[in-house]
Amino acid sequence: MSPLHPTILPGATIGVLGSGQLGRMFALAARELGYRIFIYSPDNDTPAGQIGDQEFVHAYTELDKIREFAQQVQVVTFEFENVHSDSTSAAAEFAPVRPDGRVLHTTQNRLREKTFLEGNGFPVTPFRRINSLADLQAAVQDLGLPAVLKTADFGYDGKGQVKITAVDQLDSAWRAMNGAEGIYEAYVSFEKEVSVVAARTLKGEFAAFPVFENAHANHILDITFAPAAINPQLAREAAELASGILKKLDVVGLLTVEMFVTKDGRLLVNELAPRTHNSGHLTIDACVTSQFEQQVRAVCGLPLGSTELRRPAAMANLLGDLWQNGEPNWAAALEDPFVKLHLYGKAEARAGRKMGHLTATGDTTEEAVRRVTEARQRLLRR
Ligand code: AMP
């Protein structure tokens, strides 16, 4: 580490922008390593704030508050990417922001992100910028149907996106955008979805976790397992893609690359997230180093930890829907001693809200998936 960038050692304070479950699990990992954690978000008694040493409750747009926060920490990272670059710039006046605001700026807008990827030769599905109904009609001419129309900004978990299969849907699809800028993407008829969570340090040291395979339900991640059921050559390609992207973006910290595996066995990048990822939660129980510890190490300038998977593993998300008929039966889920429960401390269980997850390990991924799925079903036992 150069004198300009001293290693941020345990005992120092890490600031986190954002206060959800990713921040909570990051804070838990940071505390294990002996760091202090300050959390900044507009909310009170948050999943991350419950673990942190201090919770700063202000809007992300209150730049003076962000500056005050940054003055009290040695490094700032984030767990939520919809923070405006003005806020990260304000923080950067007083503490390094990792990954830096440029990475955030590129990845928080789907058009900027896909343009960056395409411009640097990373494989993506063909896309067009949409600012009018005429743009949309032209895109259909160019790229054909089916397609997915997404808002360029602030989309996650399938929010702000619609699949278009016929030209008579164009009017209503455009109206649903409410004048927001959009991206039209050729529909990928994929075999499966995978992700690579990877870390990079200031010195350029790089480490990727094994490829995760992801199954979604209603556009929300449902089950992840590792290692992904893909051939070793494709797994290497996925890690190389991630390595190329982190290097090109000059990421210091973590970045997740969500990818499609096409029916003819190619990889296409769907989305980047400059942070830990829901698909990486199984690393807590199944890898030598969790994605959260890796984020701590990467942003503090410590050497990266091994990403080795100790055993095949599977993770199942627990959405608020599970609370529909009362508190889930936690004891029943844990009847299998290879199942681990993680709850995020959220008071209100709303449908579709990520409340926690279960992880199971096994001798094979099939066994891990079966265990975690059965454990989740047992939650509903009365
Ligand atoms: P996103 O918000 O971009 O991550 O999209 C959420 C989910 O929608 C993805 O995980 C895919 O299952 C699906 N999806 C997104 N874009 C496409 C596409 N171009 N073709 C097919 N499916 C897509």
Side-chain angles (χ1 to χ4, degrees):
M1 211 53 37
S2 80
L4 261 183
H5 299 293
T7 306
I8 296 154
L9 293 169
T13 305
I14 307 175
V16 182
L17 298 176
S19 61
Q21 61 269 19
L22 299 179
R24 179 185 182 88
M25 291 181 272
F26 175 82
L28 286 165
R31 282 199 159 220
E32 275 188 358
L33 284 164
Y35 289 93
R36 293 170 63 80
I37 289 290
F38 288 6
I39 305 292
Y40 187 109
S41 88
D43 305 308
N44 210 349
D45 187 28
T46 56
Q50 291 164 11
I51 308 295
D53 294 270
Q54 270 197 51
E55 197 167 27
F56 290 67
V57 186
H58 303 288
Y60 295 117
T61 46
E62 282 188 73
L63 300 188
D64 285 337
K65 296 294 180 195
I66 296 257
R67 288 188 185 97
E68 251 173 61
F69 173 73
Q71 280 173 62
Q72 296 175 58
V73 304
Q74 276 71 58
V75 60
V76 172
T77 188
F78 43 85
E79 63 100 62
F80 168 73
E81 63 261 55
N82 290 330
V83 179
H84 201 271
S85 50
D86 289 351
S87 308
T88 48
S89 301
E93 292 170 24
F94 297 98
V97 177
R98 295 177 179 158
D100 71 20
R102 257 177 333 95
V103 177
L104 197 65
H105 184 71
T106 305
T107 56
Q108 71 191 177
N109 173 285
R110 295 181 195 277
L111 271 165
R112 281 199 293 274
E113 179 174 280
K114 286 242 158 58
T115 305
F116 156 80
L117 288 165
E118 190 180 57
N120 288 287
F122 299 111
V124 291
T125 189
F127 65 93
R128 291 287 182 275
R129 177 186 301 269
I130 304 297
N131 278 305
S132 65
L133 182 58
D135 285 349
L136 191 54
Q137 285 157 343
V140 176
Q141 286 297 317
D142 269 9
L143 304 182
L145 289 167
V148 184
L149 179 65
K150 305 176 180 178
T151 52
D153 282 315
F154 300 121
Y156 69 99
D157 285 347
K159 291 193 173 64
Q161 65 172 270
V162 51
K163 184 174 174 184
I164 305 178
T165 51
V167 279
D168 63 7
Q169 296 164 351
L170 296 186
D171 269 340
S172 66
W174 170 244
R175 269 201 308 277
M177 300 286 286
N178 268 323
E181 186 169 55
I183 177 170
Y184 182 94
E185 296 182 6
Y187 189 80
V188 181
S189 127
F190 55 84
E191 175 81 36
K192 54 181 65 182
E193 294 185 83
V194 298
S195 52
V196 174
V197 178
R200 190 169 168 273
T201 65
L202 210 51
K203 291 194 237 170
E205 188 192 352
F206 173 85
F209 285 96
V211 181
F212 305 133
E213 182 162 336
N214 302 318
H216 294 81
N218 303 318
H219 292 288
I220 302 178
L221 184 64
D222 184 41
I223 302 257
T224 294
F225 62 85
I230 58 176
N231 69 54
Q233 171 59 24
L234 203 65
R236 268 195 300 278
E237 278 176 39
E240 277 162 21
L241 253 178
S243 167
I245 292 169
L246 270 80
K247 194 166 176 193
K248 198 79 210 174
L249 278 171
D250 200 12
V251 170
V252 177
L254 255 67
L255 183 127
T256 302
V257 186
E258 295 179 17
M259 303 176 218
F260 298 120
V261 179
T262 63
K263 296 232 156 82
D264 55 354
R266 287 174 305 125
L267 294 168
L268 293 176
V269 178
N270 174 39
E271 204 173 23
L272 307 178
R275 50 164 172 77
T276 54
H277 193 258
N278 193 168
S279 63
H281 291 356
L282 57 76
T283 59
I284 298 175
D285 301 303
C287 289
V288 173
T289 310
S290 78
Q291 61 169 347
F292 301 101
E293 178 181 343
Q294 196 77 309
Q295 185 183 10
V296 175
R297 288 171 175 242
V299 304
C300 290
L302 292 169
L304 297 178
S306 164
T307 54
E308 190 180 305
L309 188 69
R310 295 182 211 257
R311 289 192 86 198
M315 185 274 325
N317 267 337
L318 305 179
L319 301 184
D321 312 59
L322 284 165
W323 275 250
Q324 231 164 34
N325 297 313
E327 190 73 9
N329 191 340
W330 306 120
L334 296 177
E335 278 167 11
D336 179 340
F338 287 93
V339 168
K340 302 288 205 151
L341 171 65
H342 300 259
L343 288 172
Y344 307 149
K346 298 184 182 177
E348 196 195 339
R350 290 192 297 271
R353 189 176 199 204
K354 290 174 182 169
M355 303 296 290
H357 70 269
L358 297 171
T359 306
T361 50
D363 290 335
T364 61
T365 46
E366 291 75 17
E367 185 181 43
V369 169
R370 181 183 54 73
R371 280 184 162 152
V372 88
T373 319
E374 288 177 2
R376 188 168 60 180
Q377 279 159 0
R378 287 197 299 275
L379 287 173
L380 298 175
R381 198 161 80 196
R382 291 290 132 206

